[in-house]
Amino acid sequence: MDTSNFDLKKLLRKNVKNLIPYSSARDEFTGKASVFLDANENPFENGVNRYPDPLQRQLKKRIGEIKSVDSDRLILGNGSDEVIDLLFRAFCEPNTDNVVICTPTYGMYEVAANINAVEIRKAALNSDFQPEVQLVLNTTDQNTKLLFLCSPNNPTANLYEEVRVFELLNKFSGIVVVDEAYIDFAKDKTYTKYLNQFPNLVILQTLSKAWGMAGIRLGIGMASNEIVQFLNRIKPPYNVNSLTQKKALEALKKEKIYEKQIELILKERTSLFGFLSKCEFVEKVYSSDANFLLIKVKDASGLYDYLLRQGIVIRDRSKIESLEQCVRISVGTKEENRLLKKALLSFDTKFRENDNKKESSIY
Ligand SMILES: *Cc1c(COP(=O)(O)O)cnc(C)c1O
């Protein structure tokens, strides 16, 4: 994109541009104090009797260090799902604007669009699950405010090719949201280093996947400081609670554990990939840049039911267009994968027996 052409004010909703944000007690106070009588809190200390920092300064400082992104380019949310919702509320006028997604992809974009009464337009990924740049651009019009690119994509597990993403960043005049929920499994492919270059780039990351903190709900948005400031104005003031901020800070100090777990998960993914590729009931195992595998099988619901009877639950994605007979399996621990493989082996044996019977009945 020609940076000088980018006009954020033209993309934002009018009410958001003109909004006077809620100013909380802790927002207005600056300087040093030891007696806090400004927020009607209970004065008796129990660890959580005070309101949390609305701008999560300490946590952002640490995340900024880890991600090599200035902390004033960060917006934190109650999961990425909240950041997605904030983007809709900042940019999309209900019943007027639209957003484009590349399908099949993460279901939350469409849900957030529906909640916000924003039209969702779909541009199908090609047979390699890559976005077709011209098709995506043709799907947009002057009311298209957001384009979602999920890379690595859920549920197809692949990264999008950089040339395609760059072309879209250059040619689409709205906001390009690159959802990097799984980027920890393909770290060097992150677009964080291009934040300076593209004023229309918003990146989403999360502590829910590789960092192992799905339960605390912490999502990370990264963008220009200008965009971040507008998102800060519309977010609920205390959207990230103190327990989450505390727990996240603790976990983010333990980078070694995080690195080690990624290494183990990738090793298990390779092993599972190899195992599945040899199974007779499997049509195709798609290559993965994430912590899950997408697999095309001969009978998805049969496999799903069989595994469930053994107490193993996977995700049946076969109802989704272009994912006929596909299931998605998260990579678990070594022990969980041992149990999974055992169950898959017995399913495969039954499958082979049935196949043989079918063949012998023909002759
Ligand atoms: C899991 C996932 C997220 C994470 O959402 P949180 O609300 O942060 O837990 C975001 N995007 C995609 C594509 C995901 O698969």
Side-chain angles (χ1 to χ4, degrees):
M1 130 151 341
D2 181 357
T3 308
S4 57
N5 259 349
F6 183 74
D7 186 359
L8 183 62
K9 298 271 161 58
K10 254 175 54 192
L11 289 173
L12 286 161
R13 289 168 68 193
K14 212 183 269 137
N15 65 315
V16 170
K17 262 182 302 199
N18 301 331
L19 186 80
I20 299 167
Y22 172 74
S23 183
S24 65
R26 283 300 120 79
D27 271 333
E28 290 181 356
F29 154 77
T30 54
K32 272 201 161 62
S34 53
V35 181
F36 289 95
L37 304 175
D38 58 344
N40 300 345
E41 296 150 337
N42 181 322
F44 299 102
E45 286 299 332
N46 63 9
V48 290
N49 59 315
R50 301 292 175 186
Y51 279 104
D53 175 4
L55 292 172
Q56 312 99 18
R57 277 161 272 229
Q58 239 190 317
L59 183 52
K60 279 183 186 162
K61 184 166 171 287
R62 181 67 188 130
I63 292 173
E65 283 167 11
I66 291 178
K67 309 282 181 189
S68 304
V69 172
D70 288 344
S71 55
D72 68 0
R73 287 176 171 276
L74 301 177
I75 166 100
L76 304 183
N78 185 2
S80 323
D81 291 349
E82 184 180 37
V83 185
I84 293 169
D85 188 62
L86 288 175
L87 290 167
F88 274 94
R89 289 200 280 142
F91 292 105
C92 303
E93 199 57 44
N95 303 309
T96 304
D97 289 334
N98 67 74
V99 304
V100 170
I101 61 174
C102 303
T103 56
T105 192
Y106 186 45
M108 202 59 206
Y109 314 133
E110 186 162 4
V111 172
N114 289 338
I115 291 170
N116 287 287
V118 170
E119 181 197 349
I120 190 121
R121 298 183 171 195
K122 298 176 183 178
L125 296 170
N126 70 17
S127 56
D128 295 323
F129 296 138
Q130 293 292 329
E132 281 297 332
V133 172
Q134 205 46 54
L135 174 67
V136 172
L137 293 173
N138 291 345
T139 309
T140 67
D141 66 11
Q142 70 278 13
N143 287 323
T144 307
K145 297 300 181 70
L146 307 173
L147 164 61
F148 285 93
L149 299 177
C150 187
S151 178
N153 186 37
N154 178 6
T156 59
N158 61 307
L159 282 157
Y160 294 159
E161 291 162 1
E162 263 182 13
V163 280
R164 296 173 187 268
V165 176
F166 282 133
E167 199 176 344
L168 288 166
L169 276 162
N170 280 317
K171 292 187 174 164
F172 174 58
S173 52
I175 303 286
V176 177
V177 184
V178 179
D179 187 342
E180 298 189 336
Y182 299 97
I183 202 66
D184 311 73
F185 302 101
K187 253 192 228 115
D188 53 328
K189 299 294 164 46
T190 179
Y191 285 85
T192 50
K193 48 192 176 292
Y194 305 116
L195 279 166
N196 268 327
Q197 201 174 324
F198 298 102
N200 59 337
L201 170 61
V202 174
I203 296 170
L204 301 178
Q205 294 190 7
T206 179
L207 298 195
S208 295
K209 305 286 155 60
W211 281 99
M213 309 228 97
I216 69 169
R217 313 302 302 128
L218 193 90
I220 306 164
M222 308 176 191
S224 69
N225 177 248
E226 207 187 358
I227 292 180
V228 163
Q229 282 186 32
F230 278 106
L231 297 178
N232 275 332
R233 289 164 67 147
I234 62 170
K235 80 178 182 66
Y238 302 113
N239 62 328
V240 179
N241 72 69
S242 1
L243 296 176
T244 294
Q245 294 191 40
K246 183 161 175 270
K247 193 85 184 166
L249 259 176
E250 281 168 23
L252 291 167
K253 283 184 190 139
K254 298 175 191 157
E255 260 182 304
K256 287 257 160 58
I257 296 180
Y258 154 86
E259 300 285 356
K260 185 75 201 163
Q261 290 181 347
I262 290 175
E263 197 185 306
L264 290 173
I265 289 166
L266 292 183
K267 202 172 131 198
E268 285 303 314
R269 185 184 77 192
T270 305
S271 148
L272 198 56
F273 187 100
F275 181 91
L276 283 161
S277 306
K278 282 183 245 142
C279 290
E280 195 76 17
F281 70 87
V282 170
E283 289 263 330
K284 178 169 183 166
V285 192
Y286 293 90
S287 79
S288 170
D289 300 298
N291 64 336
F292 58 88
L293 292 172
L294 182 74
I295 305 135
K296 195 183 191 81
V297 296
K298 304 236 164 84
D299 174 18
S301 68
L303 174 64
Y304 179 87
D305 292 341
Y306 185 84
L307 289 178
L308 197 54
R309 284 197 295 274
Q310 326 259 329
I312 298 171
V313 53
I314 62 171
R315 198 88 202 263
D316 183 355
R317 303 275 71 187
S318 57
K319 300 280 184 309
I320 296 172
E321 204 181 318
S322 78
L323 296 184
E324 289 81 22
Q325 301 297 356
C326 285
V327 297
R328 193 191 69 191
I329 304 185
S330 309
V331 179
T333 62
K334 193 169 180 175
E335 173 60 13
E336 286 173 328
N337 280 338
R338 189 185 64 78
L339 294 169
L340 173 68
K341 284 176 190 164
K342 197 173 141 210
L344 291 173
L345 191 64
S346 68
F347 184 79
D348 202 43
T349 308
K350 284 200 169 58
F351 184 86
R352 282 170 203 258
E353 283 166 9
N354 273 342
D355 236 26
N356 284 343
K357 264 187 230 144
K358 263 186 234 151
E359 265 168 43
S360 50
S361 70
I362 294 170
Y363 299 107

